[in-house]
Amino acid sequence: MTVCSLLDAPLHRDLDIEALPADIGLRRRLLELGVRRGAPISAVQRTAGGGLLLRTGPSRVAIDRATCAGITVCLASADGTCLAASGAADATGSPMCAGGTGAVAAHRADAGTGEPSANAAARA
Amino acid sequence: MPETVQSSCHGGGSVAPTAGAPTVAFIGCPNVGKTTLFNAVTGLRRSVGNWPGTTVETGRGRWHVGDERVDVIDLPGTYSLDPQSPDEALTRSILVDAPAAERPAAVVIAADAVDPARSLYLCAQVRELDLPVVVALTMNDVAARRGAAVDAEALAAGLGCPVVAVDPRRGTGVEELAAAVADALRSRTMAPRPTDAPADDELAAMDDRFAWIEAALAPALAGSPGTGDGPARPSASERIDRIVLHPIAGPLVFLAAMWAVFQLTTIVAAPLQDGLDALFSGPVTDAGAALLAALGIDHPLVTGLVLNGLVAGVGMLLTFAPLMAIMFALLAALEDSGYMARAAVVADRAMRALGLPGRAFLPLIVGFGCNVPAISATRVLSDTRQRILTALLVPFTSCSARLTVYVMLAGTFFPEHAGTVVFAMYVISILLVIATGFALRRTLWRTMGSAPLVMDLPPYQVPSPRILAAGTWVRLHGFLQTAGGVIVATVIVVFALQSIPATGDHALGEVPPEDSLYAAGAQAVAPVLAPAGFGDWRTAGTLVTGFVAKEAVISSWAQTYALEDPSSLDAREQGSSPLAVQLRATFADSSGGHTGPAVWAFLVFLLAYTPCVATLAAQRREIGLRWTVFGVAMQLCIAWTLAVAVFQIGRLIW
């Protein structure tokens, strides 16, 4: 799967939430504002301070840089599933996600071993 | 609801709970029109103030529902019953934690038809209780324009509670809402919604609620052609945000907005304040004197108490009215327009260094004009702990009243560098705010985490002048009520001290300054200031007068020397006035010849100590008496320590 942190995700692409930060209060607030698995999410703009402006359904949510870095997403395909194949590129040949190797490595470790990890508890 | 709800000394409190009347609570997410709806149903029969025992602001009002008059409370916006701040925790404490007999008789949940899935999460939680619930669906016109209109009846069937479409800004649907609430009050209880989620699995419970909401919404949205996911092309709000939130343009827009706020609260308010001051010190005082004379009252103490105490005190209070009205109106306009949320995003990174959210920038900026409205502006912070911290930092912003003293002293002692001296005071002010903020964050506020920024951005809208005016009046009325007593009482006390002889054979009200109780008190305080190089009673007395109002520092200084007030002169003329001559001699004497360091020490003390009694009154209203007293103690300690350090170190080299 091509996953990365929200901070590294491309703008104006449909995203699926894979994991949220472990902090229970922060995770709860993100869920309440519609940032959750299965909800239509896209990053529409980078904001002053390095954060992101997300579209969550009909609403928009501003999130700071550190929180964005703690949210793991994958690019949604036309049929709603997560785009497969690591290192996938878009039509121009550019990588789907910029950087984010830390999140990708952790996620691959979870998926590969099938063993629960710290991220499992933070899944949306 | 407990009878103690009206025992609070905070806030306006002009709308008392009606004995035996049921209470209806208005709750909802931020920015869904909850407070606008509350204002629409209560009209002018409402007040704002702190909930008893807290510094959380709530609205209280009365509402005629059917044949009954109910008490209405407007609780702070919250996304759920799982609070992230003390303000959100109040809703939970009232709906969930309070004994059944003390809970509201019914709950009105304001929900946004544009994003009903988000708004209804709170409804899903409240429906797990046995409280009668009515959903007030707002922004139906916006939802309809997007092709995502919500069928209120179908939604009501899905939620198991009444749903009423309302437009709070136009007042439509309010009567239907009242009828639904009347029915809910008659039923007294509502069966909780069934849930299968395990009680100890929070994530499963959240999933259950979202699934319930989706099931309830599906038939309500079935007839709408739009997906509700937003328009295909960018909305006006999105186009504006491309600039307002841009990494480069955004901060520029923000600075321009803050500059406009600063200008409006200083330049626009100033002539109105001057006019009121002239009115009270002129015609009103003259009329009072004439009235007293007509009544045959001519004892100096009585006439002085009435004219220089009571009338002057009321006049001082009312001179703040234009300033506070402008501030309240600006706050409401920024909030109602939707820009406040954007400003918080732009300023977030800079304010995070102080452990404060982006919104804290606004009160600190306003403080450089006047600390009084700046304290009130801390209301933009929803978290009580952040509000208290910011309110404690505001007094260190150098207000325009202090500027008059800077200019006078700079012109007197540093005539060739007066501008630089004044500029340096503002730099010191900023450094003091930052340093004090750091210190408090690492001590008393060390457990307050740096809250992440996760903020819903409401669509931009043009503020309603009618709603702005009504809200401004309610807030201004509350300020005058709570701050008025403190300000007027303080002015009267200072006048009394200046009119009562401590030494010499003088009649009451005919006392030379140096023989008054005022001077005796100043002489008692002066030794404390000696280590700072200005331990003269006339200088100490000025600081006492400055506690009442910084604008009175120069005039009271002149009074102690029996000289003319040079405030109306320009800086150069002030520097060569008779008062300036006397001040040079006084500082030289009290500092042992180290005049420069002593003047700098005095300037630093003036900057850091308590701004004025009006600021204290505003602080007491916003953060309570205990924190206000703490603030005073902190200011005096910091002021004295810094002043002594400046003088003791400065005299070694100057």
Side-chain angles (χ1 to χ4, degrees):
Chain A
M1 293 189 196
T2 302
V3 297
C4 57
S5 81
L6 179 60
L7 199 62
D8 300 319
L11 300 181
H12 309 296
R13 294 290 299 270
D14 290 337
L15 304 172
D16 280 337
I17 299 293
E18 281 295 303
L20 293 176
D23 178 82
I24 181 66
L26 177 57
R27 189 165 73 242
R28 189 186 296 134
R29 178 51 38 96
L30 289 167
L31 292 171
E32 291 165 357
L33 289 179
V35 183
R36 58 192 179 93
R37 186 191 291 269
I41 304 284
S42 63
V44 298
Q45 182 181 346
R46 302 203 183 276
T47 62
L52 282 173
L53 184 60
L54 292 190
R55 178 190 294 283
T56 62
S59 298
R60 293 181 308 142
V61 178
I63 301 180
D64 66 75
R65 184 180 183 84
T67 303
C68 288
I71 298 173
T72 306
V73 299
C74 76
L75 301 180
S77 62
D79 61 2
T81 58
C82 199
L83 281 173
S86 60
D90 63 12
T92 66
S94 301
M96 292 288 196
C97 284
T101 52
V104 171
H107 187 89
R108 285 178 177 169
D110 296 342
T113 62
E115 293 177 0
S117 73
N119 281 340
R123 297 269 160 78
Chain B
M1 299 298 288
E3 287 302 317
T4 55
V5 294
Q6 199 48 40
S7 63
S8 171
C9 60
H10 298 174
S14 61
V15 178
T18 309
T23 299
V24 175
F26 274 50
I27 67 174
C29 299
N31 304 314
V32 297
K34 171 181 60 65
T35 297
T36 306
L37 179 62
F38 169 82
N39 294 341
V41 304
T42 56
L44 289 178
R45 301 178 302 276
R46 70 179 192 270
S47 66
V48 291
N50 293 340
W51 190 259
T54 75
T55 51
V56 179
E57 182 184 77
T58 58
R60 300 194 70 101
R62 295 200 188 101
W63 186 19
H64 284 278
V65 171
D67 298 326
E68 213 169 1
R69 189 168 70 174
V70 303
D71 287 332
V72 193
I73 51 175
D74 179 24
L75 295 173
T78 182
Y79 292 102
S80 73
L81 293 181
D82 302 308
Q84 300 283 316
S85 69
D87 296 53
E88 294 180 347
L90 180 63
T91 299
R92 183 182 178 84
S93 72
I94 290 173
L95 298 188
V96 179
D97 300 331
E102 295 176 9
R103 295 178 193 168
V107 178
V108 171
I109 303 177
D112 171 9
V114 175
D115 194 351
R118 174 197 292 181
S119 298
L120 292 175
Y121 185 82
L122 180 60
C123 178
Q125 284 187 298
V126 177
R127 288 286 291 113
E128 292 167 11
L129 310 171
D130 59 356
L131 285 169
V133 172
V134 176
V135 172
L137 199 60
T138 64
M139 304 195 188
N140 296 281
D141 52 343
V142 179
R145 279 200 300 273
R146 294 187 180 187
V150 178
D151 182 335
E153 283 191 24
L155 183 59
L159 297 179
C161 65
V163 175
V164 180
V166 298
D167 186 339
R169 291 162 77 87
R170 296 185 180 85
T172 58
V174 173
E175 290 186 10
E176 292 82 351
L177 181 64
V181 171
D183 289 341
L185 289 173
R186 278 191 288 273
S187 66
R188 294 192 175 277
T189 187
M190 182 175 284
R193 73 173 186 89
T195 172
D196 298 325
D200 57 349
D201 189 336
E202 183 179 349
L203 287 181
M206 295 188 81
D207 284 341
D208 176 77
R209 293 177 191 128
F210 287 125
W212 179 76
I213 293 168
E214 286 176 14
L217 271 176
L221 295 173
S224 299
T227 61
D229 288 346
R233 52 190 176 86
S235 65
S237 294
E238 290 172 356
R239 291 196 298 273
I240 296 172
D241 279 339
R242 284 179 188 159
I243 300 172
V244 171
L245 293 177
H246 188 271
I248 297 174
L252 295 176
V253 171
F254 173 78
L255 289 175
M258 293 302 105
W259 177 85
V261 168
F262 183 77
Q263 290 289 87
L264 286 168
T265 53
T266 52
I267 293 176
V268 172
L272 298 172
Q273 289 182 285
D274 291 342
L276 278 171
D277 186 42
L279 175 69
F280 271 83
S281 60
V284 173
T285 299
D286 293 342
L291 177 62
L292 290 173
L295 293 173
I297 300 172
D298 60 358
H299 191 286
L301 184 62
V302 176
T303 57
L305 191 66
V306 172
L307 300 177
N308 298 325
L310 187 60
V311 172
V314 172
M316 174 183 287
L317 172 66
L318 291 181
T319 57
F320 280 107
L323 185 59
M324 299 304 289
I326 291 174
M327 186 70 249
F328 289 139
L330 283 175
L331 285 179
L334 286 174
E335 193 77 56
D336 204 30
S337 68
Y339 179 72
M340 186 71 79
R342 278 77 177 175
V345 174
V346 172
D348 180 70
R349 195 165 189 179
M351 297 308 298
R352 195 172 288 272
L354 280 177
L356 290 171
R359 289 184 174 219
F361 202 88
L362 180 66
L364 293 177
I365 280 289
V366 172
F368 283 97
C370 178
N371 287 176
V372 180
I375 297 292
S376 296
T378 59
R379 288 279 172 185
V380 301
L381 300 168
S382 56
D383 188 303
T384 302
R385 295 163 298 179
Q386 294 168 348
R387 194 183 309 149
I388 293 172
L389 176 58
T390 305
L392 290 176
L393 293 179
V394 164
F396 294 111
T397 57
S398 186
C399 64
S400 55
R402 280 173 267 202
L403 176 62
T404 60
V405 186
Y406 299 159
V407 169
M408 197 271 170
L409 290 178
T412 299
F413 293 96
F414 314 106
E416 301 303 317
H417 307 286
T420 303
V421 169
V422 174
F423 175 71
M425 293 310 300
Y426 280 93
V427 173
I428 294 171
S429 172
I430 293 169
L431 293 175
L432 201 50
V433 169
I434 294 172
T436 307
F438 271 132
L440 290 175
R441 283 288 282 127
R442 279 154 182 75
T443 53
L444 297 177
W445 270 262
R446 65 183 177 279
T447 59
M448 183 179 80
S450 186
L453 177 73
V454 180
M455 180 173 294
D456 174 45
L457 297 187
Y460 288 105
Q461 61 182 8
V462 177
S464 162
R466 181 179 57 82
I467 294 174
L468 277 186
T472 298
W473 165 247
V474 170
R475 290 194 179 281
L476 181 63
H477 181 254
F479 169 79
L480 293 175
Q481 266 195 322
T482 55
V486 176
I487 293 172
V488 173
T490 303
V491 172
I492 291 174
V493 166
V494 172
F495 166 77
L497 290 175
Q498 292 174 328
S499 303
I500 299 172
T503 58
D505 184 22
H506 306 290
L508 285 175
E510 296 174 340
V511 184
E514 61 271 19
D515 291 339
S516 66
L517 269 184
Y518 167 84
Q523 285 158 3
V525 171
V528 178
L529 301 171
F534 50 89
D536 180 87
W537 76 268
R538 284 163 291 203
T539 310
T542 296
L543 293 172
V544 173
T545 310
F547 169 76
V548 178
K550 289 294 178 293
E551 295 88 340
V553 166
I554 297 177
S555 59
S556 71
W557 231 338
Q559 191 178 9
T560 59
Y561 292 100
L563 294 171
E564 193 173 318
D565 181 353
S567 300
S568 60
L569 306 174
D570 64 31
R572 186 182 296 276
E573 290 170 331
Q574 289 188 46
S576 57
S577 64
L579 176 62
V581 173
Q582 290 292 335
L583 289 179
R584 288 193 196 96
T586 301
F587 270 91
D589 182 50
S590 63
S591 65
H594 301 282
T595 308
V599 174
W600 273 107
F602 179 83
L603 287 170
V604 169
F605 191 97
L606 185 77
L607 164 65
Y609 92 123
T610 308
C612 63
V613 65
T615 300
L616 292 187
Q619 277 188 323
R620 180 173 174 263
R621 173 179 168 79
E622 300 297 337
I623 64 176
L625 181 62
R626 187 165 63 95
W627 282 112
T628 300
V629 171
F630 170 81
V632 172
M634 181 179 69
Q635 290 148 21
L636 292 175
C637 286
I638 291 176
W640 187 87
T641 303
L642 286 179
V644 170
V646 167
F647 177 70
Q648 296 296 332
I649 295 172
R651 74 191 184 105
L652 297 176
I653 55 180
W654 187 0

